Amino acid sequence: MADNRRDGPSFRDPPLTGAEVWLIGTLAELHAITAALGDAGAVAYQAPRKAMHGSDAGRYRQYVRLNIASAAPRQRTHARPDDSGGVLIDLDAARRRTA
């Protein structure tokens, strides 16, 4: 039987913004991460923490949406080969020394 439901966002919901991440860890780890993000002013929404089961017992998962300020694009500079400060290795001489 065909399902005629529309698969898409609800027109009643506001558009989502920001980065979305799933955090997984112990309660102490999740608390520390969300506190640090909150201090940075980045947390827009955090779902309730859900206990995990099986081999992940004792750990929790949490969905978090973040508002991240976009950084200005960095000016890319291309180093010239003589600006690298590196030293070329004479591979033939090195091979002779180890042989």
Side-chain angles (χ1 to χ4, degrees):
M1 178 176 215
D3 189 357
N4 294 327
R5 291 185 298 174
R6 182 179 156 285
D7 185 18
S10 169
F11 295 113
R12 295 177 298 232
D13 293 338
L16 295 178
T17 59
E20 299 176 76
V21 296
W22 280 97
L23 303 176
I24 297 175
T26 64
L27 284 176
E29 291 168 332
L30 293 182
H31 178 71
I33 292 168
T34 54
L37 291 169
D39 289 345
V43 177
Y45 170 79
Q46 55 184 342
R49 295 172 180 158
K50 306 273 186 177
M52 298 180 77
H53 305 283
S55 61
D56 283 321
R59 293 169 28 111
Y60 295 78
R61 66 184 171 150
Q62 182 178 29
Y63 169 79
V64 178
R65 195 166 52 247
L66 308 168
N67 287 329
I68 306 294
S70 298
R74 292 193 296 172
Q75 190 76 336
R76 295 198 82 143
T77 58
H78 298 286
R80 295 181 305 208
D82 57 345
D83 290 341
S84 67
V87 177
L88 290 178
I89 298 172
D90 182 350
L91 291 177
D92 290 330
R95 286 184 187 116
R96 284 191 296 271
R97 282 193 301 265
T98 59

